[in-house]
Amino acid sequence: MIKKLIVMGMLCSISASLQAQKALNINLSSKKDTEVSPIVKEKVEEYATKINTIIQEEKKLMEEELVVLQARNLDKADFDREKAQIADRYSEKMDKRIEELGFDLDDVIQKQVRYSLLNTDVTSKEELKEKLLKKFRPSRSFTGYFSYGIMTLTNSAPDNLLDKNIGYANNLEFGLKLNYQLSRTSPWAITSGLGFSWRTVRADNNMMFIRNANQGVALAQYSENLEKSKLRTGYIMVPLGVQYNFSKLKNAGMDIQYRSYYTGFKIGANVYGGVKMSTNNIVKGIDGETRDRGNYQVNPFVYGAQVTFSYNSFSVFVKKDFSNFFKDSYFKDDKALIFGLAIGLD
């Protein structure tokens, strides 16, 4: 009995809190996650009304008996004893009448759980199963991402002039990731998408990138100290790969299982290809800053492979180009190697 009253009070409190939030136009959480089922609310209010009627009726009868008791002018000890007996008798009577109402707590709780999960009061098992299958279908969507990585240029040949004078290099990227889970319970997913990448190579030791007489690219010594000397190239990137999710299977009810795609520990591997958008040579010295969007022989195409380790929306990755950073024989065999962090906007 006490358990039922506690649950009823909690449901009524939730309902009252929701009404207060709506009045203040505060949207702290999803309506689907917080709203009380209309059927549950109706049943609880109906039950509370019946309980209140019983209490008021029995209270009135008890007060009438207490008036008669008080008229007998008993001493305090006898009065208190008989008063306690009357209170116990009416308490038992109220409990019995409330129990006879037949309030099914388990049924009400099941209805509220169903509503919280599906935002519906469906009662048909077939319809409920259909709703569950729709809600917990495989994840197939586009999500945003942002990544930043530290870049170096690897070279299997002897160090060239760039290798000896390279400064801090980095890769900044953002875009959309395609998530295609193979099935509701599958840990495997196909990943792809579209990204925009900006790769920046900085020259050190007061060296700067120039275009020589043959329209090639070279490094030249600046006569004074340089504040900036960097070559930035933008690419449109397209990855294609697979991802494995280690999260456990969950039970949605009615023998329906699913695996959460976006949570837990994941490992992914992909290949990627990119097409150059533009190259910008940025130099800042005593004569001010100059920017040149000319041809600095940066490879117009890039391709490579990436391995990613993720937990929920956060990832660390290693990305290795198989293509040379510069085309033809300029700074031959230099290939980008990137270590970075990424945030998924799931």
Side-chain angles (χ1 to χ4, degrees), residues 63-300:
E63 288 175 348
E64 290 175 356
E65 281 200 35
L66 290 176
V67 170
V68 174
L69 178 64
Q70 193 171 15
R72 292 169 58 188
N73 294 321
L74 299 174
D75 58 56
K76 187 177 186 306
D78 291 338
F79 178 82
D80 289 342
R81 184 181 66 257
E82 293 199 29
K83 179 180 178 182
Q85 291 174 352
I86 292 172
D88 289 341
R89 189 171 72 253
Y90 276 94
S91 177
E92 291 176 3
K93 189 178 178 183
M94 281 189 285
D95 284 344
K96 185 178 180 181
R97 288 186 63 186
I98 291 172
E99 188 175 347
E100 289 173 352
L101 292 177
F103 184 75
D104 191 342
L105 176 63
D106 292 336
D107 180 63
V108 170
I109 290 175
Q110 288 176 9
K111 282 183 169 60
Q112 181 57 39
V113 169
R114 183 185 297 128
Y115 190 84
S116 297
L117 283 174
L118 302 174
N119 196 31
T120 181
D121 280 317
V122 295
T123 55
S124 163
K125 288 186 177 180
E126 292 74 16
E127 188 178 355
L128 176 58
K129 188 168 185 177
E130 183 182 346
K131 291 279 187 180
L132 285 170
L133 290 172
K134 184 177 180 180
K135 180 177 178 65
F136 296 102
R137 61 182 179 270
S139 295
R140 291 165 186 177
S141 62
F142 283 96
T143 54
Y145 73 91
F146 172 85
S147 73
Y148 183 85
I150 298 173
M151 183 172 69
T152 186
L153 298 179
T154 63
N155 195 333
S156 58
D159 287 347
N160 55 45
L161 190 60
L162 177 57
D163 298 333
K164 296 175 182 178
N165 293 280
I166 191 171
Y168 179 72
N170 67 277
N171 176 67
L172 176 67
E173 186 171 329
F174 69 87
L176 292 174
K177 177 186 174 185
L178 169 65
N179 312 284
Y180 191 93
Q181 189 178 13
L182 296 185
S183 71
R184 180 181 298 101
T185 58
S186 176
W188 291 100
I190 296 173
T191 60
S192 186
L194 180 68
F196 298 89
S197 170
W198 284 268
R199 300 179 169 197
T200 303
V201 177
R202 293 170 178 81
D204 210 350
N205 304 319
N206 294 316
M207 303 290 283
M208 62 180 184
F209 292 95
I210 63 168
R211 283 183 291 171
N212 57 28
N214 298 323
Q215 295 300 308
V217 62
L219 280 176
Q221 186 75 46
Y222 190 69
S223 58
E224 302 289 342
N225 289 330
L226 283 174
E227 292 185 38
K228 291 181 185 177
S229 179
K230 54 189 177 183
L231 194 66
R232 176 175 294 150
T233 304
Y235 286 93
I236 297 175
M237 308 290 286
V238 177
L240 179 63
V242 295
Q243 179 176 280
Y244 187 89
N245 191 327
F246 289 89
S247 63
K248 295 181 179 180
L249 285 174
K250 297 182 180 180
N251 192 354
M254 302 192 73
D255 297 324
I256 297 173
Q257 290 185 313
Y258 71 98
R259 191 185 306 273
S260 175
Y261 176 86
Y262 297 104
T263 60
F265 180 66
K266 296 159 280 190
I267 295 179
N270 64 266
V271 294
Y272 58 84
V275 179
K276 185 175 73 172
M277 295 183 290
S278 66
T279 298
N280 194 4
N281 185 25
I282 305 168
V283 178
K284 186 176 182 180
I286 58 174
D287 299 326
E289 181 175 300
T290 61
R291 294 173 178 260
D292 181 18
R293 295 184 178 274
N295 180 13
Y296 284 84
Q297 303 302 326
V298 178
N299 203 327

Side-chain angles (χ1 to χ4, degrees), residues 27 60 136:
N27 185 16
K60 182 179 180 181
F136 296 102

